[in-house]
Amino acid sequence: MNIEIINNDMKEAMKSGDKFKLTVLRMLKSALQNEKISKNHDLDENEIIAVIKKQVKVRKDSIKEYSEYNRMDLVENLEHEIEILSKYLPEELSESEINKVIDEVFEKLKPASIKDMGNVMKELNPLLATKADMSIVSKIVKEKLN
């Protein structure tokens, strides 16, 4: 994944008159630019994916909020934004694949209790951060430690 793909998709959205997609991609490009400035270097693939995942997470959190207040019009827009952003993310691992990686880390670290969760997550983060929802990973690790 690189920024060129996003730029090309922005041009396509402009040409086709897809204002909604164009707006979403502009927000994404802005978020990527802000991250580039804060890190003070060009973003690598993992950093780009992390920014996109963060954008998706923000929208998922907003969906929960808007659903509570029965603002389905806004929920639909956010779901459409997530759909657009998700195209730039790699395929997420299945739960069984996540479990396999977690088992390997458990074998390596041999955690004894929930107190070791921080070390386990620190080991898992570089392995799974771009390939899985870390809240699911955290839940699985917690279950295995209890």
Side-chain angles (χ1 to χ4, degrees), residues 93 101 104-105 122-131:
L93 296 176
V101 175
E104 289 169 8
V105 169
K122 194 188 310 179
E123 191 78 20
L124 286 169
N125 203 37
L127 299 172
L128 295 174
T130 60
K131 301 176 196 148

Side-chain angles (χ1 to χ4, degrees), residues 20 58-64 66 72-85:
F20 189 84
V58 166
R59 284 161 177 79
K60 284 182 178 177
D61 293 343
S62 296
I63 285 175
K64 287 179 190 162
Y66 290 140
M72 293 323 202
D73 54 330
L74 297 173
V75 169
E76 283 178 32
N77 280 343
L78 289 169
E79 286 171 345
H80 189 54
E81 287 180 26
I82 289 170
E83 190 179 304
I84 292 169
L85 292 171

